[in-house]
C-alpha cells in the first residue's frame, strides 16, 4: 500500500462537501488503491455539524480512509498537505454589494494562502471552488509565494460538464461522446462556453460539434446562455445551489490533475495566465483548455479564434481584471 495522500477540504460542513467527501473517500479521485487522510476545515460555529459529517464518514466504513481530522484551526488544517480543495467562502447575502463580498473573501483567501505557504508541502496542489473562484484563487496564490503558481487552479469544470451535457442532450448521445468543449474566462455569467473546437462521436465517427448539431444559432445563442445561467436555474428549481454536480466536477478536476487527461482530449480549468496565450492579459486566473501530464498542465495552443469568440473572451477577461483590481485594493490594505 502506498503512503496516504493528505487532502484538505474547506467548507467541510457545507452542502458541496457532503457529496465531495464521499467521492474522495471511496477512491473516485486518487484511485481505488490509494489510502487517504482527510482534513476537514470549517468555521467554529459549524463544528457540531462537522462532528456529524465525521461520524457519517466513519460509518461508511471505507477501506481507503485512514484518518479524518476535523478542525476550525488553519495551522492544523494546512499542515503537510498534498492537496487543498478550498470550497468554503463567504456567501453573498441579500443586499450585499459585490465589493463587500470580494472584501470578505480576500480576507479568507489571504489567510488560507498564508497558511498554505507556512504549513503545507511545497508540492501541494490547490484547487479553489468558493466564489468568486478565479479571484479567490489569485488571492491565495499571491499570499503563498513559496508555492509554484502552477500548483493553483480554480474550478470551471462544472461549467465544462454542463456544456458537454447540453450538446449530448441535444443530440441524444452519451455525454462521453462529446469532447473538447471549452470554458473561457471567469466562473461567472460572463464565461464563454465555446463549442467551436468540440467534437461529437456519431456512429463511431468524430465530427465537429457545429456539423453534428446543425444549428449554429443555438450553439452561438441558447447553448451559451443556458450554460452561463445554469447555476441560477438550479437555484431557482432546488432553492439551493448546485452541490451534487459541483462535487462531481471537483472530483473530475482533481482526478485529471492527479492522473492526467486522456490522450487527444482537453479540459477547462482556471489557471494563471502569463500573457502569451490567446491574448489574455498576464496575471489573471483565466479558464483555458488544458492538457495535463505528470501532474503538470499545459494550455492547448494554436486553436483558431474567430471574431465572435474574441469578443466574448475579452468581455470575461475584462471582468476578471476588474475583480482583480478590487481584490488587490483590499489585499494591500488588509
Ligand atoms: P455552503 O454554504 O453549503 O457551505 C459553505 C461552507 O463553508 C459552510 O459550512 C461555511 O461555514 C464554510 N466556510 C465559510 N467560511 C469559511 C472559512 N473561512 N473557512 C472554512 N470554511 C468556511 O456552500 P456550498 O453550496 O457548499 O458552496 C461552497 C462554495 O462553492 C460557494 O462559494 C459557492 O458559490 C461555490 N461554488 C462554486 C462553483 C464553481 O464552479 N467554482 C460551483 C458550485 C458552487 O456554487
Amino acid at each position: 500500500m502506498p503512503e496516504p495522500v493528505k487532502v484538505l477540504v474547506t467548507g467541510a460542513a457545507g452542502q458541496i462537501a457532503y457529496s465531495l467527501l464521499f467521492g474522495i473517500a471511496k477512491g473516485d479521485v486518487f484511485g481505488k488503491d490509494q489510502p487517504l487522510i482527510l482534513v476537514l476545515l470549517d468555521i467554529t460555529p459549524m463544528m457540531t455539524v462537522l462532528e456529524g459529517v465525521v461520524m457519517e464518514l466513519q460509518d461508511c466504513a471505507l477501506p481507503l480512509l485512514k484518518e479524518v481530522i476535523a478542525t476550525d484551526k488553519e495551522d492544523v488544517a494546512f499542515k503537510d498537505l498534498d492537496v487543498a480543495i478550498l470550497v468554503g467562502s463567504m456567501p453573498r447575502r441579500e443586499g450585499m454589494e459585490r465589493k463587500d463580498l470580494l472584501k470578505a473573501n480576500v480576507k479568507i483567501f489571504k489567510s488560507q494562502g498564508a497558511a498554505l505557504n507556512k504549513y503545507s508541502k511545497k508540492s501541494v496542489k490547490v484547487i479553489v471552488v468558493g466564489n468568486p473562484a478565479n479571484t479567490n484563487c489569485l488571492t491565495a496564490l499571491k499570499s503563498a509565494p513559496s508555492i509554484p503558481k502552477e500548483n493553483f487552479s480554480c474550478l470551471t469544470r462544472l461549467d465544462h460538464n454542463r456544456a458537454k451535457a447540453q450538446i449530448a442532450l441535444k443530440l441524444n448521445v452519451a455525454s462521453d461522446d462529446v469532447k473538447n468543449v471549452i470554458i473561457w474566462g471567469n466562473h461567472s455569467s460572463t464565461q464563454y462556453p465555446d463549442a467551436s473546437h468540440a467534437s461529437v462521436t456519431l456512429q463511431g465517427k468524430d465530427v465537429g460539434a457545429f456539423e453534428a448539431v446543425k444549428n449554429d444559432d443555438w450553439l452561438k445563442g441558447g447553448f451559451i446562455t443556458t450554460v452561463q445561467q445554469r447555476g441560477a436555474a438550479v437555484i431557482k428549481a432546488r432553492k439551493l445551489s448546485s452541490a451534487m454536480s459541483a462535487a462531481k466536477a471537483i472530483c473530475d478536476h482533481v482526478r485529471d490533475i492527479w492522473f492526467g487527461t486522456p490522450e487527444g482530449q482537453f479540459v477547462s480549468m482556471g489557471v494563471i495566465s502569463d500573457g502569451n496565450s490567446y491574448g489574455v492579459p498576464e496575471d489573471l486566473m483565466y479558464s483555458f483548455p488544458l492538457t495535463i501530464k505528470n501532474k503538470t498542465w499545459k494550455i492547448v495552443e494554436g486553436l483558431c479564434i474567430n471574431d465572435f469568440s474574441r469578443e466574448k473572451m475579452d468581455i470575461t477577461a475584462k471582468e476578471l481584471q476588474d475583480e482583480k483590481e478590487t481584490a488587490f485594493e483590499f489585499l494591500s490594505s488588509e
Side-chain angles (χ1 to χ4, degrees), residues 56-115:
E56 284 212 63
L57 277 169
Q58 290 166 343
D59 297 347
C60 288
L62 293 160
L64 295 175
L65 194 55
K66 296 299 164 202
E67 193 182 350
V68 182
I69 302 166
T71 182
D72 56 359
K73 298 192 177 47
E74 287 183 347
D75 55 343
V76 176
F78 286 87
K79 194 160 173 39
D80 296 332
L81 294 179
D82 297 297
V83 177
I85 308 176
L86 309 182
V87 181
S89 70
M90 176 64 78
R92 191 170 192 162
R93 301 221 170 78
E94 228 177 315
M96 200 176 193
E97 294 280 334
R98 238 173 71 92
K99 272 203 163 193
D100 294 333
L101 181 74
L102 264 169
K103 188 174 181 180
N105 279 299
V106 165
K107 205 168 162 189
I108 293 172
F109 286 86
K110 182 179 177 183
S111 172
Q112 295 188 351

Side-chain angles (χ1 to χ4, degrees), residues 11 14-16 42-43 46 87-89 108 112 129-131 155 187:
Q15 57 151 1
I16 292 177
D42 211 296
I43 51 176
M46 297 303 283
V87 181
S89 70
I108 293 172
Q112 295 188 351
V129 178
N131 278 319
L155 187 79
H187 168 70

Side-chain angles (χ1 to χ4, degrees), residues 9-18 41-43 45-46 49 71 74 86-92 105 108-109 112 128-134 136 154-159 162 187 231 235 238 240-243 245-247 249-250:
V9 174
T10 74
Q15 57 151 1
I16 292 177
Y18 194 71
L41 176 72
D42 211 296
I43 51 176
M46 297 303 283
V49 176
T71 182
E74 287 183 347
L86 309 182
V87 181
S89 70
M90 176 64 78
R92 191 170 192 162
N105 279 299
I108 293 172
F109 286 86
Q112 295 188 351
V128 177
V129 178
N131 278 319
N134 302 52
N136 288 343
C154 72
L155 187 79
T156 53
R157 185 61 169 265
L158 177 54
D159 310 296
R162 286 166 172 164
H187 168 70
I235 293 177
R238 221 172 75 87
L240 284 169
S241 56
S242 310
S245 54
I250 298 167

Side-chain angles (χ1 to χ4, degrees), residues 118-268:
K118 194 163 171 193
Y119 302 113
S120 297
K121 291 183 184 166
K122 298 304 166 203
S123 58
V124 65
K125 300 290 184 191
V126 184
I127 297 92
V128 177
V129 178
N131 278 319
N134 302 52
T135 302
N136 288 343
C137 191
L138 190 62
T139 303
L141 178 155
K142 294 288 173 192
S143 311
S146 70
I147 295 169
K149 50 186 189 294
E150 293 76 18
N151 290 19
F152 289 78
S153 60
C154 72
L155 187 79
T156 53
R157 185 61 169 265
L158 177 54
D159 310 296
H160 181 102
N161 287 349
R162 286 166 172 164
K164 220 170 128 144
Q166 283 304 308
I167 295 174
L169 285 167
K170 191 83 174 170
L171 292 168
N172 200 18
V173 298
S175 59
D176 263 9
D177 290 332
V178 181
K179 296 185 186 76
N180 298 348
V181 294
I182 303 170
I183 303 298
W184 299 97
N186 202 0
H187 168 70
S188 77
S189 56
T190 68
Q191 66 177 254
Y192 171 40
D194 179 8
S196 43
H197 309 282
S199 68
V200 184
T201 312
L202 293 178
Q203 280 108 42
K205 220 180 117 210
D206 281 352
V207 290
F210 274 77
E211 193 189 330
V213 172
K214 295 188 177 62
N215 186 343
D216 292 16
D217 286 350
W218 180 72
L219 281 173
K220 288 178 153 185
F223 161 72
I224 295 174
T225 49
T226 300
V227 176
Q228 287 172 332
Q229 290 160 19
R230 189 69 161 182
V234 170
I235 293 177
K236 191 158 175 261
R238 221 172 75 87
K239 315 283 178 264
L240 284 169
S241 56
S242 310
M244 177 172 47
S245 54
K248 158 66 167 58
I250 298 167
C251 289
D252 289 347
H253 178 121
V254 183
R255 191 194 56 240
D256 284 348
I257 289 179
W258 211 252
F259 291 110
T261 45
E263 200 55 44
Q265 288 190 42
F266 45 80
V267 293
S268 309

